[in-house]
Amino acid sequence: MEARSKFVVDVLNEGGFMAFDVSRRVQTLYSHRRKVWGLVIASFVLYLLSSGALLRSSPIAKSSRVYSPEVVARCRALDVKPAPTEEFYRRKESDRFVLGTKATLVENATIWTGDDDGQEVFNGDVLMDKGMIKWVGKDSSVWKKTGGIDLTVVDAKGAWLTPGIIDVHSHLAVGQAPASDGADDSNSLKGTSGSSLPWLRSLDGLNTHDEGIRLAVAGGLTTSLILPGSANAIGGQGFAIKLRPTSERTPTSWLLEPPYGLNGSAVDYSKKPRWRHMKHACGENPSRVYGQSRMDTAWDFRKAYNKARELKEAQDTFCEKVLNGEWDGQSKFPEELQWEAAVDVLRGKVKVQTHCYEAVDLDNFVRLSNEFKFPVAAFHHAHETYLVPEVLKRAYGDVPPASAMFASFSRYKREAYRHSEFAPRILHDAGLRVVMKSDHPAIVSRYLLHEAQQAHYYGLPSNIALKSVISTSAEVLGYDHRIGYIREGYDADIVLWDSHPLQIGATPVQVFIDGIAQFQSPHVVEKPSSFRSVPETPNFDKEAKETLEYEGLPPLIPQRTIVDQAMAFTNVSNIWLRKQASETIKLHSFSKEEEEEGVVVVEGGKIICEGSESMCAMHLNSPNLIAIDLRGGSISPGLVSYGTDLGLQEIGMEESTIDGAVYDGFSKKIPKILGGDSAVIRAADGLVFSTRNALLAHRAGVTSSITAPTSSGFLSGLSTHFSTGAAFRTTPGAVVQDVAALHVTIGPARQPSVSTQIAALRRLLTSEQKGELGYWLKKVVQAEIPLVVDVHSADEIATLLLLKQEVEAVTGNALRLTVTGASEAHLLAAEIGEANVGVILNPVRPYPDTWEKRRILPGPPLSDESALVRLLRHNVTVGFGVMGGNLPSEISPWAARNTRFDVSWAYIEAGGRVTKSEAFALASTNTERLLGINSETMLQGDMVATQGGDLLEIGSKVVGIISPRRARVELL
């Protein structure tokens, strides 16, 4: 290159001389021509040489001429992982800041920040401004002295302050409340590539008019990931929303960090992308919906991701050419709109959220993640992850999937059968992340925190339990740079609580989203100072160990059954006894001033002495006496469950394990062999004993159940009262009362019309009927057994009150009418009280999932009274059903075990307007009386021995069942 350059210079120099004599002009002319041609040739060589050097020095040699900067930028960004931009960390206000929002200073709070693995707690202050947390510290006086800030000051008075609750799995707003045919957008059943639909987006069906949103905020929720349903192997893309109404009133304005380009705007490829979310589902759901096997679903996954991999490889090949200067400038970037999100899964830009229960499906999906090389953010439901922790650790990527779980919702289908209440603690002990989620409306999202409370009760450390609905949730979603912690620079999403968040019934005093208070005039219940502390919980180490030993199905029979020996419960604080005259619960406390401990001596299942050690000395000196120390515990009445199919099934969605539904006279002809229209079904004839749901309820102090025949129509039949701890129907005391009440259902969801249903009921009650149905209707009109009507609408309840008067005028007898369900009964509390009609609230905490339930009384912080308090104020006898979420009775028996928590919650929420005696009666004597259990039977009710407190205290543990009617004591 150096010699050739010198040649060019020489030629140029020679070309600058001029000859003046003619003889040399010709020579000079020829010489000049040669030199010009030499110059041209030399210039061309120089061009070639310089071009070669450029090619060697630039990776995009032709870009300055034909390459689009957007194409180059897009190729360079192909494998850039999602992360906040540098600008985000320098932000002075939130992208969700609402102009005009005043700064708020919360002072004197007990702050749980989420830091130090959820263990950092201190008394201090938090300043919110511009939609962000601007300052966290212990002395906020400087901010109050600053004149430049228009400041609202909130004195927390020592109350707990946490980041907002985050739900990682919700169908809020895509399956709205009240439900309607025009707004069910959680699932698509139009798979065109098997059951894989990665191109669908939950955002496109999100309805901000959902009544559940306001209620979710009342539970402390500030952010929810809205996922498509689980009908499909790949159900589509999920979107995170902040649960704050906006002036724009659109779903888009609710989004938290939506992907760039969502609304068609140009994507800036120089910025790091934002996280996306993709819903997957293994196991029974896609198999049931599409009539296929697990093998088919696995192939759907593989086929979809193979398609995505082919597209990804085409993109990689294209971009390799672009970045190596080999692109022809004509071909386009390979892309297909349907599959672009699936390609991003393979590029690690999507949080994979997978509905997956059993080991077979978990192992399958982990295998898939390694085959196609994508990480899994979380397995949802994850009922068997605790049994296979090493499988999760084999998933592709550096961080094993989290388990997003229910606390106790289980056994509703086969793949949920082995779930354990100890799963969260076992997973944590195995070094895996645990998230509690709602799957709203399966568990109503307002009560997501209760899932963490239960997980804590069964052994999950308190710091991890709180993280499971806050900080870990934020991490799993990829938003832990802005939510899930109380840190300077984070979004101003915080909740002030009326008690420690892990206490039963903990309720927000105020919720801030983007620094905006969500309640104008919140109703606050004053609670004892002891509720400010982290609740103490029992030791379940033995039970957790047995759960693993028996692969999720440990034996549930008592450790010891005492029939013919006396036994003593010592160190008893109090005893709650059923009283014959008033059919109520009365307290007998053992004086703390006495030096002697309280003692209760039992023989043959009956109490033979209660008092001090000296009072019961004769019994305590028996040589064969068995003694159990209750450690300051209590003996309480056994609770009764109502409102589910408990005792009529083992696994609700498995036909081979259930009694089945009765014939509906409106929809089909009842066979003659049954007696035709005069037939009536008895639940007692279909009882199944020793089911896991019944035995678990028994171990939780729910010692009996009143269950009606399963029905989806008008006439259900005759309910029965049975023991949850009995082995078989032939066991003495197994069936407490063969027939309790006659049950019917009134509602618009059934055919024919509501008015036709009322007309049918009027005819049955006012005209003589034949056969077995006529026999039992006669007992109803003669007030020998109750008529129990499942109904929710206040309008329909009002009609029933008038029908009661009409029937009584015809028969001359007072009709024993009980309404169950009763979501809108509070609107007629005075009229119901005057009519002497009983009410069983089922569910015990209402939710407006259908139109006839829309006018609920939500309770604090949205209303001063709950439905319970309102009804009791009008002298209505109230009983309790269950809180099984927004679920049919067929798949709610698991919830029976939580009755003690439901009663405790109602008692606490009432704020002193309900005594503990009245609270016990809600799920014992009141429910029994309203459902037709006779007084003598009620007096023989079981009793429950608890260590560490009474049955309604979260720190207590059931250790024994005292059963007078079965003449035994069972030690658990």
Side-chain angles (χ1 to χ4, degrees):
M1 176 67 187
E2 206 173 309
R4 291 178 181 178
S5 297
K6 184 177 184 296
F7 171 75
V8 173
V9 173
D10 287 343
V11 169
L12 289 172
N13 285 339
E14 289 176 4
F17 291 99
M18 181 172 292
F20 290 96
D21 65 330
V22 176
S23 63
R24 296 189 60 185
R25 287 177 69 93
V26 175
Q27 295 178 6
T28 302
L29 179 61
Y30 285 108
S31 175
H32 182 66
R33 287 176 177 174
R34 288 195 301 269
K35 291 176 181 179
V36 169
W37 280 109
L39 178 58
V40 170
I41 293 169
S43 299
F44 183 70
V45 171
L46 179 61
Y47 171 77
L48 290 176
L49 292 171
S50 61
S51 296
L54 264 174
L55 283 170
R56 288 191 297 271
S57 64
S58 172
I60 47 171
K62 299 182 182 180
S63 63
S64 60
R65 185 163 60 89
V66 293
Y67 281 26
S68 164
E70 183 181 355
V71 171
V72 174
R74 187 172 191 177
C75 286
R76 285 175 172 163
L78 273 188
D79 294 309
V80 175
K81 298 298 186 286
T85 62
E86 293 182 5
E87 291 85 354
F88 175 85
Y89 290 112
R90 294 195 296 267
R91 65 179 184 157
K92 300 300 181 184
E93 71 177 37
S94 170
D95 52 334
R96 296 183 51 80
F97 171 59
V98 176
L99 192 65
T101 302
K102 291 177 63 176
T104 299
L105 175 67
V106 179
E107 59 181 4
N108 190 27
T110 303
I111 303 172
W112 184 89
T113 66
D115 282 315
D116 190 21
D117 200 26
Q119 298 184 87
E120 182 180 66
V121 177
F122 64 92
N123 187 271
D125 313 327
V126 175
L127 176 68
M128 296 175 284
D129 192 19
K130 306 291 185 183
M132 298 168 55
I133 296 172
K134 290 289 188 177
W135 176 85
V136 182
K138 296 187 177 182
D139 184 3
S140 59
S141 58
V142 63
W143 297 105
K144 289 188 284 187
K145 293 176 183 177
T146 301
I149 300 180
D150 186 9
L151 196 62
T152 297
V153 179
V154 175
D155 183 2
K157 300 178 181 177
W160 283 85
L161 188 73
T162 72
I165 304 299
I166 301 167
D167 193 352
V168 303
H169 186 141
S170 177
H171 305 294
L172 197 68
V174 291
Q176 76 160 34
S180 65
D181 292 339
D184 183 4
D185 294 297
S186 56
N187 280 300
S188 171
L189 303 180
K190 295 182 178 180
T192 57
S193 177
S195 58
S196 295
L197 308 168
W199 48 85
L200 299 183
R201 307 183 300 184
S202 66
L203 173 63
D204 298 327
L206 200 150
N207 188 338
T208 57
H209 297 302
D210 189 337
E211 286 294 318
I213 296 169
R214 176 179 69 106
L215 296 171
V217 175
L221 271 71
T222 56
T223 302
S224 291
L225 177 64
I226 310 304
L227 292 168
S230 54
N232 295 285
I234 303 178
Q237 302 160 50
F239 287 80
I241 62 172
K242 291 283 193 84
L243 303 179
R244 174 179 64 79
T246 65
S247 59
E248 188 178 300
R249 301 186 180 91
T250 64
T252 300
S253 64
W254 290 49
L255 296 179
L256 174 64
E257 292 199 353
Y260 294 120
L262 184 68
N263 286 316
S265 58
V267 176
D268 184 351
Y269 291 109
S270 68
K271 291 183 177 180
K272 294 177 180 178
R274 289 169 166 173
W275 282 112
R276 307 172 74 179
H277 301 271
M278 187 70 76
K279 175 67 179 295
H280 298 68
C282 312
E284 291 187 28
N285 280 26
S287 294
R288 181 179 65 253
V289 171
Y290 285 91
Q292 62 188 28
S293 69
R294 280 177 164 81
M295 294 182 290
D296 294 308
T297 303
W299 174 241
D300 281 340
F301 283 134
R302 297 184 69 218
K303 181 170 60 174
Y305 279 116
N306 187 60
K307 169 69 175 177
R309 179 167 58 185
E310 290 173 349
L311 187 54
K312 174 182 178 293
E313 289 173 350
Q315 292 174 355
D316 291 342
T317 299
F318 172 87
C319 285
E320 184 179 6
K321 290 180 179 179
V322 170
L323 299 179
N324 287 335
E326 300 169 1
W327 181 39
D328 59 12
Q330 301 300 316
S331 58
K332 294 183 178 181
F333 182 83
E335 59 183 332
E336 292 183 39
L337 185 59
Q338 280 189 308
W339 296 100
E340 58 86 21
V343 173
D344 267 2
V345 169
L346 302 187
R347 294 197 184 282
K349 298 184 178 186
V350 179
K351 294 285 188 180
V352 172
Q353 313 288 353
T354 304
H355 160 122
C356 218
Y357 285 73
E358 290 186 280
V360 57
D361 299 313
L362 296 164
D363 186 51
N364 188 357
F365 204 85
V366 165
R367 204 163 49 243
L368 182 80
S369 79
N370 284 300
E371 179 181 1
F372 291 95
K373 296 180 170 48
F374 63 84
V376 181
F379 285 117
H380 292 238
H381 306 310
H383 281 52
E384 290 189 15
T385 52
Y386 75 100
L387 294 174
V388 289
E390 296 307 313
V391 171
L392 272 63
K393 294 175 183 179
R394 291 202 306 266
Y396 181 82
D398 298 328
V399 181
S403 294
M405 318 191 78
F406 298 124
S408 54
F409 179 19
S410 51
R411 291 172 296 282
Y412 46 95
K413 54 182 175 178
R414 191 194 64 83
E415 62 187 6
Y417 193 61
R418 291 179 185 268
H419 178 61
S420 170
E421 62 272 33
F422 306 113
R425 64 168 287 177
I426 292 171
L427 284 162
H428 172 66
D429 290 344
L432 294 167
R433 295 172 300 163
V434 176
V435 175
M436 309 310 294
K437 56 95 174 77
S438 75
D439 189 19
H440 176 93
I443 296 295
V444 175
S445 59
R446 180 182 183 183
Y447 307 122
L448 173 56
L449 184 60
H450 187 44
E451 299 297 293
Q453 292 166 354
Q454 292 176 71
H456 177 237
Y457 176 78
Y458 290 113
L460 190 65
S462 61
N463 58 311
I464 305 302
L466 279 179
K467 285 187 63 179
S468 74
V469 290
I470 303 176
S471 308
T472 307
S473 303
E475 177 186 326
V476 166
L477 297 183
Y479 303 130
D480 52 327
H481 57 283
R482 65 183 297 169
I483 60 174
Y485 295 87
I486 293 182
R487 293 173 177 166
E488 293 179 16
Y490 273 57
D491 288 12
D493 298 350
I494 62 176
V495 183
L496 190 64
W497 300 92
D498 64 2
S499 50
H500 188 281
L502 294 180
Q503 291 281 2
I504 293 293
T507 301
V509 171
Q510 187 57 271
V511 176
F512 296 89
I513 303 179
D514 301 321
I516 302 172
Q518 298 302 295
F519 308 136
Q520 294 301 315
S521 301
H523 300 275
V524 180
V525 173
E526 293 296 327
K527 295 180 179 178
S529 59
S530 60
F531 278 60
R532 293 281 178 93
S533 301
V534 180
E536 295 184 5
T537 56
N539 185 305
F540 287 103
D541 290 349
K542 176 177 175 292
E543 290 85 346
K545 182 178 179 181
E546 287 181 346
T547 296
L548 284 176
E549 181 182 348
Y550 288 92
E551 296 189 15
L553 301 175
L556 298 176
I557 60 175
Q559 290 188 2
R560 187 174 183 182
T561 299
I562 301 166
V563 178
D564 53 3
Q565 282 181 272
M567 70 165 299
F569 292 99
T570 64
N571 195 6
V572 183
S573 294
N574 53 53
I575 181 170
W576 301 83
L577 296 173
R578 298 166 182 253
K579 293 297 182 181
Q580 184 170 9
S582 57
E583 296 181 350
T584 57
I585 309 297
K586 295 296 183 181
L587 170 67
H588 176 194
S589 294
F590 301 107
S591 175
K592 295 181 179 179
E593 298 177 359
E594 298 178 8
E595 294 184 2
E596 296 180 309
E597 298 176 347
V599 173
V600 174
V601 182
V602 179
E603 188 170 13
K606 296 183 178 180
I607 295 175
I608 58 175
C609 184
E610 54 173 296
S612 64
E613 292 179 344
S614 56
M615 291 172 60
C616 298
M618 178 180 68
H619 303 286
L620 295 176
N621 292 329
S622 171
N624 297 319
L625 184 76
I626 300 168
I628 298 292
D629 184 357
L630 292 189
R631 305 171 192 170
S634 176
I635 293 177
S636 313
L639 304 181
V640 60
S641 178
Y642 171 74
T644 76
D645 288 359
L646 189 67
L648 294 179
Q649 47 120 306
E650 177 76 351
I651 304 173
M653 295 173 68
E654 284 289 334
E655 288 188 1
S656 64
T657 75
I658 66 175
D659 178 51
V662 302
Y663 285 100
D664 177 22
F666 276 128
S667 62
K668 60 179 68 175
K669 187 175 181 180
I670 299 175
K672 289 183 178 180
I673 195 171
L674 273 177
D677 290 344
S678 65
V680 62
I681 306 302
R682 303 187 188 195
D685 294 337
L687 284 176
V688 180
F689 287 87
S690 297
T691 66
R692 294 196 73 79
N693 283 320
L695 293 175
L696 285 166
H698 193 69
R699 297 174 73 89
V702 181
T703 60
S704 67
S705 176
I706 301 171
T707 301
T710 305
S711 173
S712 58
F714 169 71
L715 178 63
S716 173
L718 300 165
S719 56
T720 189
H721 188 197
F722 68 95
S723 168
T724 55
F728 299 99
R729 186 172 178 179
T730 53
T731 305
V735 175
V736 179
Q737 187 168 310
D738 192 65
V739 171
L742 180 66
H743 295 253
V744 300
T745 300
I746 301 292
R750 292 164 173 80
Q751 294 296 326
S753 67
V754 169
S755 53
T756 303
Q757 296 169 44
I758 295 292
L761 184 58
R762 177 184 291 109
R763 173 180 170 273
L764 291 175
L765 294 174
T766 59
S767 61
E768 186 176 353
Q769 304 299 315
K770 298 178 181 180
E772 189 175 9
L773 179 59
Y775 172 82
W776 290 105
L777 282 169
K778 186 175 182 180
K779 286 185 174 293
V780 168
V781 298
Q782 291 179 347
E784 294 181 30
I785 65 171
L787 174 67
V788 179
V789 182
D790 188 80
V791 60
H792 288 277
S793 166
D795 296 297
E796 292 156 15
I797 294 172
T799 300
L800 288 171
L801 296 180
L802 295 174
L803 179 60
K804 179 177 185 289
Q805 294 178 4
E806 185 179 339
V807 171
E808 289 173 344
V810 171
T811 65
N813 297 316
L815 188 69
R816 294 170 61 186
L817 177 63
T818 296
V819 296
T820 72
S823 294
E824 294 187 351
H826 63 93
L827 296 172
L828 296 168
E831 292 88 341
I832 292 171
E834 290 173 3
N836 195 28
V837 170
V839 171
I840 297 179
L841 296 173
N842 187 44
V844 298
R845 294 183 294 278
Y847 182 71
D849 62 300
T850 56
W851 187 255
E852 71 268 29
K853 303 175 188 176
R854 70 191 184 279
R855 296 172 292 187
I856 66 168
L857 190 61
L862 298 179
S863 65
D864 175 50
E865 291 182 320
S866 63
L868 169 66
V869 170
R870 174 76 58 83
L871 290 164
L872 290 178
R873 182 160 61 83
H874 288 279
N875 300 313
V876 178
T877 299
V878 180
F880 265 12
V882 298
M883 188 63 206
N886 180 31
L887 299 166
S889 63
E890 299 95 300
I891 57 172
S892 296
W894 61 272
R897 69 182 302 179
N898 293 334
T899 301
R900 58 179 295 201
F901 295 145
D902 296 335
V903 173
S904 177
W905 193 324
Y907 167 65
I908 294 164
E909 185 180 66
R913 290 171 286 190
V914 174
T915 67
K916 185 166 279 192
S917 175
E918 291 172 325
F920 273 118
L922 292 171
S924 58
T925 52
N926 283 10
T927 298
E928 290 167 345
R929 182 164 67 253
L930 292 175
L931 293 176
I933 307 306
N934 65 60
S935 299
E936 188 61 33
T937 300
M938 289 169 60
L939 281 174
Q940 294 297 310
D942 294 338
M943 291 166 282
V944 179
T946 51
Q947 285 182 335
D950 65 45
L951 189 57
L952 303 188
E953 295 176 15
I954 195 171
S956 69
K957 181 180 183 180
V958 177
V959 295
I961 306 294
I962 304 166
S963 182
R965 52 187 168 229
R966 292 192 295 140
R968 65 186 59 200
V969 175
E970 296 170 337
L971 299 181
L972 307 176

